[in-house]
Amino acid sequence: AHYKADFPHAVPPCKWCQTCACVNVKDPLNSSGPRLVFALDHVYWLWAPLYKCTKRERSNASLPAGQKKEPYHFNGHDPCVLAQLPAHIRNKFPAVLTFRKALGVDAARQLERAVATPGGGGFASFRKLMLELHNEKL
């Protein structure tokens, strides 16, 4: 049961312009590497392309030397990009991204239940559950 987020005929909306017209793929195998995703009972990698905003790139090219340039690259899994997608596509995204890693949607729901539910056991019970489920696979 692998999920492949591949958009061969479309690109995501630009993080800054909110349109697809200015977006091109800069690096299909994003050199910053994949994100490690921890699901309830397995671990997998999520690798999204690196995109560029051609409008911002052109704007930067016209700036005088020495003037601070605006960033014009963004990741396909950037939360700003995902938030702009239609709900029926956004809801298929398999993970909740954290600063450096990610949680599978199933694990994120379990964490929410453990922390938000009275008597849910808190983060310690979630951590214990994750360790048990992942150690069973080893």
Side-chain angles (χ1 to χ4, degrees):
H2 294 278
Y3 181 89
K4 183 179 177 189
D6 186 44
F7 301 102
H9 305 294
V11 293
C14 177
K15 177 178 178 172
W16 302 283
C17 305
Q18 284 83 38
T19 177
C20 298
C22 62
V23 177
N24 285 333
V25 175
K26 176 171 178 18
D27 184 2
L29 292 176
N30 191 336
S31 58
S32 67
R35 297 286 289 269
L36 184 59
V37 181
F38 294 92
L40 272 181
D41 62 352
H42 63 286
V43 176
Y44 62 94
W45 296 96
L46 178 69
W47 206 323
L50 183 66
Y51 293 97
K52 69 177 180 178
C53 171
T54 55
K55 187 186 288 185
R56 275 189 163 212
E57 184 180 35
R58 281 192 308 273
S59 173
N60 280 345
S62 66
L63 292 175
Q67 187 170 347
K68 187 178 181 206
K69 300 187 185 294
E70 295 182 318
Y72 61 93
H73 298 114
F74 62 94
N75 289 306
H77 55 65
D78 188 294
C80 295
V81 172
L82 296 175
Q84 295 178 54
L85 295 173
H88 70 281
I89 294 173
R90 185 176 58 243
N91 293 339
K92 289 182 181 180
F93 195 74
V96 176
L97 302 175
T98 61
F99 178 63
R100 294 185 189 252
K101 305 274 190 281
L103 282 177
V105 172
D106 57 348
R109 286 190 183 123
Q110 184 65 38
L111 173 60
E112 183 179 42
R113 279 193 292 274
V115 173
T117 307
F123 184 77
S125 70
F126 173 74
R127 181 180 180 277
K128 181 179 176 186
L129 173 68
M130 290 293 283
L131 285 170
E132 288 174 6
L133 291 172
H134 286 265
N135 284 334
E136 288 176 7
K137 299 283 183 179
L138 297 175

